[in-house]
Amino acid sequence: MPDQYPEYELHSIYYDTEDSGMIIHCLDHPMYKEKLRLRSYGEPKEGQPVYLELKKKFKDTGQKRRIALEESEAYAYLNQGVVPHLSSGTQIYSEIDYLVRRKKIVPKMFIAYHRIAFCGKEEADLRITFDSAIRFRSSHISLHESGREQYLTSPEEILMEVKLSGRYPYWLSDLLSKMKLFRSSFSKYGTFYTMQEQKQISDQVATVPESISLNQESEESICSLPY
Protein backbone atom coordinates (compact mmCIF):
# COMPACT_ATOMS: atom_id res chain seq x y z
CA MET A 1 0.00 0.00 0.00
CA PRO A 2 1.18 3.64 -0.38
CA ASP A 3 3.64 4.74 2.28
CA GLN A 4 2.82 7.49 4.78
CA TYR A 5 4.54 9.90 2.36
CA PRO A 6 3.77 8.23 -0.97
CA GLU A 7 5.36 10.61 -3.49
CA TYR A 8 8.01 13.32 -3.21
CA GLU A 9 11.23 14.82 -4.56
CA LEU A 10 14.58 14.15 -2.89
CA HIS A 11 17.61 16.45 -3.07
CA SER A 12 20.91 15.34 -1.54
CA ILE A 13 24.53 16.42 -1.28
CA TYR A 14 27.07 13.65 -0.75
CA TYR A 15 30.19 14.49 1.24
CA ASP A 16 33.52 12.70 1.07
CA THR A 17 37.23 13.24 1.57
CA GLU A 18 39.09 15.31 -1.00
CA ASP A 19 40.45 12.13 -2.60
CA SER A 20 37.04 10.36 -2.52
CA GLY A 21 38.35 7.87 0.01
CA MET A 22 34.94 7.03 1.50
CA ILE A 23 33.30 5.98 -1.77
CA ILE A 24 36.43 4.14 -2.93
CA HIS A 25 36.26 2.16 0.31
CA CYS A 26 32.54 1.45 -0.23
CA LEU A 27 33.11 0.22 -3.78
CA ASP A 28 35.51 -2.42 -2.46
CA HIS A 29 32.46 -4.03 -0.75
CA PRO A 30 33.90 -4.08 2.80
CA MET A 31 32.01 -5.47 5.79
CA TYR A 32 31.64 -1.96 7.21
CA LYS A 33 31.05 1.26 5.28
CA GLU A 34 29.63 4.71 5.91
CA LYS A 35 28.31 7.66 3.90
CA LEU A 36 27.47 11.22 4.82
CA ARG A 37 24.82 13.28 3.06
CA LEU A 38 22.72 16.39 3.49
CA ARG A 39 19.12 15.89 2.35
CA SER A 40 16.00 17.94 1.71
CA TYR A 41 12.58 16.98 0.48
CA GLY A 42 12.31 19.00 -2.71
CA GLU A 43 13.70 22.52 -2.98
CA PRO A 44 14.60 23.72 0.54
CA LYS A 45 12.39 26.53 1.78
CA GLU A 46 13.00 29.02 4.55
CA GLY A 47 11.77 27.69 7.86
CA GLN A 48 11.82 24.05 6.73
CA PRO A 49 14.55 21.74 8.04
CA VAL A 50 17.15 19.87 6.05
CA TYR A 51 18.62 16.62 7.35
CA LEU A 52 22.24 15.66 7.88
CA GLU A 53 22.41 11.89 7.66
CA LEU A 54 25.10 9.38 8.53
CA LYS A 55 24.47 6.01 6.86
CA LYS A 56 26.30 3.03 8.30
CA LYS A 57 26.24 -0.52 7.02
CA PHE A 58 27.79 -3.62 8.56
CA LYS A 59 27.46 -6.68 6.33
CA ASP A 60 23.76 -6.58 5.30
CA THR A 61 22.51 -4.51 8.21
CA GLY A 62 22.12 -0.79 7.60
CA GLN A 63 21.49 2.06 10.01
CA LYS A 64 20.68 5.71 9.36
CA ARG A 65 21.30 8.44 11.92
CA ARG A 66 20.25 12.01 11.22
CA ILE A 67 19.75 15.45 12.72
CA ALA A 68 17.57 18.33 11.53
CA LEU A 69 19.22 21.69 10.77
CA GLU A 70 18.42 24.92 9.02
CA GLU A 71 19.91 24.98 5.51
CA SER A 72 22.29 27.89 6.17
CA GLU A 73 23.32 26.33 9.48
CA ALA A 74 24.12 23.03 7.75
CA TYR A 75 26.34 24.72 5.15
CA ALA A 76 28.12 26.76 7.82
CA TYR A 77 28.87 23.60 9.79
CA LEU A 78 29.91 21.38 6.89
CA ASN A 79 31.85 23.99 4.90
CA GLN A 80 33.27 26.25 7.63
CA GLY A 81 33.12 24.13 10.77
CA VAL A 82 30.66 26.40 12.61
CA VAL A 83 29.07 24.36 15.39
CA PRO A 84 25.26 24.21 14.88
CA HIS A 85 22.64 24.92 17.51
CA LEU A 86 20.84 21.71 18.40
CA SER A 87 17.60 21.32 20.31
CA SER A 88 17.86 17.51 20.15
CA GLY A 89 19.96 14.71 18.69
CA THR A 90 23.18 15.67 20.46
CA GLN A 91 24.42 12.06 20.61
CA ILE A 92 23.83 11.61 16.87
CA TYR A 93 25.55 14.95 16.24
CA SER A 94 28.60 13.70 18.16
CA GLU A 95 28.80 10.65 15.89
CA ILE A 96 28.47 12.81 12.77
CA ASP A 97 30.91 15.41 14.05
CA TYR A 98 33.52 12.73 14.76
CA LEU A 99 33.36 11.61 11.11
CA VAL A 100 33.33 15.19 9.75
CA ARG A 101 36.45 16.14 11.68
CA ARG A 102 38.24 12.82 11.22
CA LYS A 103 37.67 12.68 7.46
CA LYS A 104 37.87 16.45 6.70
CA ILE A 105 34.96 16.08 4.30
CA VAL A 106 34.04 18.23 1.30
CA PRO A 107 30.88 18.33 -0.89
CA LYS A 108 31.24 16.02 -3.88
CA MET A 109 27.92 15.87 -5.71
CA PHE A 110 24.32 17.04 -5.75
CA ILE A 111 21.71 14.49 -6.73
CA ALA A 112 17.94 14.76 -7.17
CA TYR A 113 15.17 12.38 -8.14
CA HIS A 114 11.46 11.70 -7.87
CA ARG A 115 10.38 8.93 -5.49
CA ILE A 116 7.20 6.87 -5.18
CA ALA A 117 7.10 4.81 -1.97
CA PHE A 118 5.08 1.84 -0.77
CA CYS A 119 5.03 -0.15 2.47
CA GLY A 120 3.90 -3.66 3.38
CA LYS A 121 0.35 -4.18 4.60
CA GLU A 122 1.44 -6.76 7.16
CA GLU A 123 5.24 -6.30 7.26
CA ALA A 124 5.84 -3.12 9.26
CA ASP A 125 9.48 -2.73 8.18
CA LEU A 126 9.00 -3.42 4.46
CA ARG A 127 9.31 -0.50 2.04
CA ILE A 128 9.58 -0.58 -1.74
CA THR A 129 10.55 2.63 -3.52
CA PHE A 130 10.79 3.66 -7.16
CA ASP A 131 13.21 6.47 -8.07
CA SER A 132 13.03 8.17 -11.47
CA ALA A 133 14.60 11.15 -13.27
CA ILE A 134 17.85 10.64 -11.35
CA ARG A 135 20.05 13.64 -12.09
CA PHE A 136 23.25 15.10 -10.66
CA ARG A 137 25.60 18.08 -10.61
CA SER A 138 29.24 18.18 -9.46
CA SER A 139 29.85 21.95 -9.46
CA HIS A 140 28.29 24.87 -7.55
CA ILE A 141 26.94 22.28 -5.13
CA SER A 142 23.89 23.10 -3.01
CA LEU A 143 20.51 21.53 -2.34
CA HIS A 144 18.92 23.66 -5.09
CA GLU A 145 18.65 22.71 -8.75
CA SER A 146 20.44 25.02 -11.18
CA GLY A 147 19.33 23.66 -14.56
CA ARG A 148 22.84 22.33 -15.24
CA GLU A 149 22.10 18.84 -13.94
CA GLN A 150 22.80 15.72 -16.02
CA TYR A 151 21.05 12.37 -15.91
CA LEU A 152 22.86 9.74 -13.89
CA THR A 153 20.91 6.97 -15.60
CA SER A 154 18.75 6.96 -18.70
CA PRO A 155 15.62 9.11 -18.24
CA GLU A 156 13.56 6.01 -19.01
CA GLU A 157 15.18 3.92 -16.28
CA ILE A 158 13.61 3.54 -12.84
CA LEU A 159 15.47 2.32 -9.76
CA MET A 160 13.49 -0.03 -7.53
CA GLU A 161 14.73 -0.59 -3.99
CA VAL A 162 13.44 -3.14 -1.51
CA LYS A 163 14.15 -2.07 2.07
CA LEU A 164 13.70 -4.75 4.71
CA SER A 165 15.57 -5.51 7.93
CA GLY A 166 14.90 -9.26 7.92
CA ARG A 167 14.10 -11.94 5.39
CA TYR A 168 11.85 -11.29 2.42
CA PRO A 169 8.30 -12.55 2.96
CA TYR A 170 7.42 -15.54 0.79
CA TRP A 171 4.94 -13.65 -1.38
CA LEU A 172 7.58 -11.06 -2.29
CA SER A 173 10.33 -13.61 -2.98
CA ASP A 174 7.91 -15.59 -5.16
CA LEU A 175 6.80 -12.49 -7.07
CA LEU A 176 10.33 -11.25 -7.73
CA SER A 177 11.39 -14.73 -8.84
CA LYS A 178 8.50 -15.00 -11.30
CA MET A 179 9.38 -11.58 -12.72
CA LYS A 180 13.06 -12.64 -12.93
CA LEU A 181 14.14 -9.75 -10.73
CA PHE A 182 17.20 -10.60 -8.69
CA ARG A 183 19.13 -8.77 -6.01
CA SER A 184 21.74 -6.35 -7.30
CA SER A 185 23.83 -3.60 -5.75
CA PHE A 186 23.45 -0.01 -6.95
CA SER A 187 24.81 3.17 -5.41
CA LYS A 188 23.90 6.57 -6.84
CA TYR A 189 27.04 8.19 -5.47
CA GLY A 190 29.12 5.14 -6.45
CA THR A 191 27.78 5.31 -10.01
CA PHE A 192 28.63 9.01 -10.16
CA TYR A 193 32.19 8.36 -8.95
CA THR A 194 32.69 5.54 -11.47
CA MET A 195 31.42 7.76 -14.30
CA GLN A 196 33.82 10.53 -13.28
CA GLU A 197 36.76 8.12 -13.17
CA GLN A 198 35.92 6.71 -16.60
CA LYS A 199 35.64 10.22 -18.03
CA GLN A 200 39.00 11.20 -16.55
CA ILE A 201 40.66 8.13 -18.08
CA SER A 202 39.05 8.85 -21.46
CA ASP A 203 40.25 12.47 -21.31
CA GLN A 204 43.78 11.34 -20.46
CA VAL A 205 43.86 8.83 -23.31
CA ALA A 206 42.63 11.52 -25.70
CA THR A 207 45.61 13.71 -24.80
CA VAL A 208 48.24 11.08 -25.71
CA PRO A 209 50.24 12.54 -28.67
CA GLU A 210 49.60 10.77 -31.97
CA SER A 211 53.34 10.27 -32.39
CA ILE A 212 53.33 7.82 -29.47
CA SER A 213 52.45 4.30 -30.50
CA LEU A 214 50.57 2.31 -27.90
CA ASN A 215 52.34 -0.82 -29.15
CA GLN A 216 55.86 0.47 -28.48
CA GLU A 217 57.59 -1.28 -25.62
CA SER A 218 60.38 1.17 -24.93
CA GLU A 219 60.58 2.47 -21.37
CA GLU A 220 60.12 6.04 -22.60
CA SER A 221 56.84 5.25 -24.37
CA ILE A 222 55.42 3.24 -21.49
CA CYS A 223 56.16 6.00 -18.98
CA SER A 224 54.38 8.48 -21.22
CA LEU A 225 51.06 6.63 -21.15
CA PRO A 226 48.33 7.88 -18.77
CA TYR A 227 47.74 4.59 -16.97
Side-chain angles (χ1 to χ4, degrees), residues 107-120:
K108 283 289 186 174
M109 72 171 295
F110 162 78
I111 192 162
Y113 46 92
H114 183 77
R115 170 167 286 179
I116 298 176
F118 297 86
C119 60

Side-chain angles (χ1 to χ4, degrees), residues 52-69:
L52 183 56
E53 299 181 342
L54 174 60
K55 290 186 67 178
K56 302 178 181 181
K57 190 170 185 180
F58 180 72
K59 295 183 178 179
D60 289 331
T61 302
Q63 183 185 50
K64 183 169 68 175
R65 311 272 279 167
R66 75 179 191 175
I67 56 175
L69 299 170

Side-chain angles (χ1 to χ4, degrees), residues 121-161:
K121 290 183 177 180
E122 298 179 1
E123 299 81 11
D125 59 343
L126 172 63
R127 292 183 75 240
I128 299 179
T129 60
F130 297 87
D131 297 342
S132 60
I134 305 172
R135 53 210 184 271
F136 74 94
R137 187 177 74 247
S138 58
S139 62
H140 302 91
I141 298 175
S142 75
L143 287 171
H144 299 264
E145 292 201 67
S146 69
R148 294 190 295 269
E149 290 75 25
Q150 300 176 345
Y151 280 105
L152 187 68
T153 60
S154 165
E156 293 79 23
E157 288 184 303
I158 295 176
L159 174 65
M160 182 183 79
E161 291 184 304

Side-chain angles (χ1 to χ4, degrees), residues 17 19 32 37 50 58 66 93 103 115 157 162 175 195 206 210-211 214:
T17 58
D19 62 357
Y32 175 78
R37 70 187 178 199
V50 298
F58 180 72
R66 75 179 191 175
Y93 166 73
K103 297 289 188 179
R115 170 167 286 179
E157 288 184 303
V162 179
L175 179 62
M195 288 172 54
E210 294 182 2
S211 60
L214 298 184

Side-chain angles (χ1 to χ4, degrees), residues 152-194:
L152 187 68
T153 60
S154 165
E156 293 79 23
E157 288 184 303
I158 295 176
L159 174 65
M160 182 183 79
E161 291 184 304
V162 179
K163 308 168 193 287
L164 186 65
S165 59
R167 292 184 176 183
Y168 283 23
Y170 172 77
W171 66 264
L172 180 58
S173 296
D174 184 56
L175 179 62
L176 295 176
S177 179
K178 288 178 179 178
M179 298 181 70
K180 298 183 179 180
L181 296 176
F182 304 102
R183 183 173 179 174
S184 177
S185 176
F186 182 86
S187 163
K188 298 180 182 76
Y189 178 33
T191 300
F192 161 78
Y193 172 78
T194 302

